[in-house]
């Protein structure tokens, strides 16, 4: 039961500390949509998504008003499209266009699932599908794409890694008039999860039910405020406070998720408690770390602070709900976090330090702008490094980098809204081409042999 103090505390979290439901994401299976031709499949995909999610926006708006809790994004994720497009991979763009049209018709923010899972091997139809990604992301507005190139059980598919470096470069070139914006809608994963509600990496796993509601809750400002309230606390006390705060945030998310699923006739999937920042001041993971005692994020001690924060968030979430899933932890996207932006602009935060941080938090190198002349093999090497962290540590990692066309270190890109702005960060200028061009498979680690 909620008492008056609980109600007042929640109101304060919303009004002063940026607490929100970052996204309600409906996952939809497209397996029943497969037809003999691309045209018929595209038509079935459009009709299915529009029918299943027709009330998503209205229900989200109703819940936001009833509970007084902002619901920022309404999204849809679908079965990895490469599976749907297998019979006609060369015409996969047809399906991408149908998905984007459905997203526009529904009035949702993004639709994820123009995706492929090639962590152990890449069939010809999957390679053909992946090669359509630059064109599809350049000619659609709300469609997002992801490719899983490795896992702790299978190793890292280096042929796919090499291809994705080339795809990122082509996607940037295809959207050069928008600072390479297409790359902001493209994620390369290791150990991708099937129930992630956050874009751009969301897709509806083939092990999921027909229609599922997953909710992503975010509250960096709430956590920061809680830490500010105990300035003299030791780290054990800080961890306890973060756990209690994460517990409260997760309970709010579960309430909304269950009710949304009930009203939409879908199954309640998971609550993803991820501290997903925005460019707004006071809604920053970097500022949490600085409140913990760092002069600037990126300095020595940053990885330790982030590890403690991520662990405490997960512990609090798991205590609050038996349906915690997705990624659940702390996100560190550069362009979407005002503290990360400022640290990068000051030269205190580097890609190397961000890579170290990804070993202890959710996901990986996210929304990072790099020079437009960065080679495809360098991007592939960045992907390989990040995938290795995920593979060895049995966690999800990802890369979302934007080689900004025509720009170099000292310049910046600005995508506006939640995607924010990013200073172009330097990369190492020594070549990794020979390593990437070897291809093959980096074998799975010894601890993957658990059967």
């Amino acid at each position: 039961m909620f008492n008056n103090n609980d109600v007042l505390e929640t109101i304060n979290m919303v009004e002063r500390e940026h607490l929100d439901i970052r996204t309600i994401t409906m996952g939809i299976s497209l397996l029943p949509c497969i037809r003999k031709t691309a045209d018929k499949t595209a038509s079935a995909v459009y009709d299915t998504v529009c029918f299943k999610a027709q009330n998503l926006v209205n229900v989200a708006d109703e819940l936001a008003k009833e509970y007084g809790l902002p619901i920022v994004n309404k999204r849809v994720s679908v079965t990895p499209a490469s599976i749907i497009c297998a019979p006609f991979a060369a015409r996969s763009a047809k399906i991408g266009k149908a998905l984007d049209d459905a997203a526009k018709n529904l009035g949702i923010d993004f639709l994820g699932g123009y995706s492929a899972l090639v962590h152990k091997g890449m069939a010809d139809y999957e390679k053909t599908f992946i090669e359509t990604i630059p064109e599809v992301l350049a000619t659609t507005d709300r469609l997002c794409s992801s490719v899983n190139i490795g896992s702790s059980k299978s190793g890292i598919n280096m042929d796919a890694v090499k291809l994705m470096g080339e795809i990122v470069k082509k996607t940037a070139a295809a959207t050069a008039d928008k600072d390479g914006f297409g790359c902001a809608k493209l994620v390369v994963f290791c150990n991708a999860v099937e129930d992630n509600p956050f874009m751009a990496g969301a897709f509806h796993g083939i092990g999921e039910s027909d229609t599922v509601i997953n909710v992503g809750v975010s509250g960096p400002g709430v956590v920061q405020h809680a830490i500010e309230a105990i300035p003299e606390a030791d780290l054990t006390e800080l961890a306890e406070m973060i756990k209690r705060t994460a517990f409260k945030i997760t309970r709010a998310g579960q309430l909304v998720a269950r009710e949304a699923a009930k009203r939409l006739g879908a199954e309640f999937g998971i609550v993803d408690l991820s501290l997903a920042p925005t460019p707004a001041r006071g809604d920053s993971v970097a500022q949490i770390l600085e409140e913990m005692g760092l002069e600037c994020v990126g300095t020595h001690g940053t990885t330790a602070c982030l590890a403690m924060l991520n662990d405490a968030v997960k512990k609090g979430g798991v205590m609050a709900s038996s349906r915690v899933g997705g990624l659940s932890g702390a996100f560190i996207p550069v362009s979407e976090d005002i503290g990360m932006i400022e640290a990068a602009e000051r030269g205190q935060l580097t890609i190397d330090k961000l890579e170290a941080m990804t070993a202890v938090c959710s996901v990986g190198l996210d929304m990072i702008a790099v020079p437009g002349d960065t080679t495809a093999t360098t991007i592939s090497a960045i992907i390989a490094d990040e995938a290795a962290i995920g593979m060895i540590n049995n966690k999800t990692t990802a890369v979302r980098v934007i080689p900004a066309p025509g720009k170099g270190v000292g310049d910046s890109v600005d995508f506006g809204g939640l995607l924010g702005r990013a200073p172009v960060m330097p990369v190492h200028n020594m070549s990794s081409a020979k390593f990437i061009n070897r291809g093959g498979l980096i074998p799975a680690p010894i601890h993957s042999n658990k059967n």
Side-chain angles (χ1 to χ4, degrees), residues 386-404:
E386 196 59 29
I389 291 173
M391 177 185 71
I392 294 296
N393 292 291
N394 199 31
K395 69 183 292 292
T396 302
T397 52
V399 171
R400 185 164 49 150
V401 296
I402 302 105

Side-chain angles (χ1 to χ4, degrees), residues 151-169:
S151 76
S152 296
K153 290 291 288 183
S154 65
I156 301 172
N157 182 349
M158 290 301 292
D159 294 319
V161 168
K162 178 183 178 182
L163 177 58
M164 287 313 299
E166 297 164 0
I167 294 299
V168 170
K169 285 286 288 184

Side-chain angles (χ1 to χ4, degrees), residues 37 64 79 83 91 102 105-106 133 138 166 187 195 215 220 225 249 256 258 271 297 315 355 375 382 424 434 445 451:
T37 69
T79 308
I83 299 170
R91 302 194 68 201
N105 179 56
L106 293 167
I133 289 174
E166 297 164 0
V187 182
D195 55 5
V215 164
H225 182 79
I249 295 171
V256 171
R258 286 192 177 278
V271 177
V297 69
K315 287 174 178 172
E355 182 183 303
T375 65
I382 292 170
V424 176
K434 184 176 180 179
N451 291 333

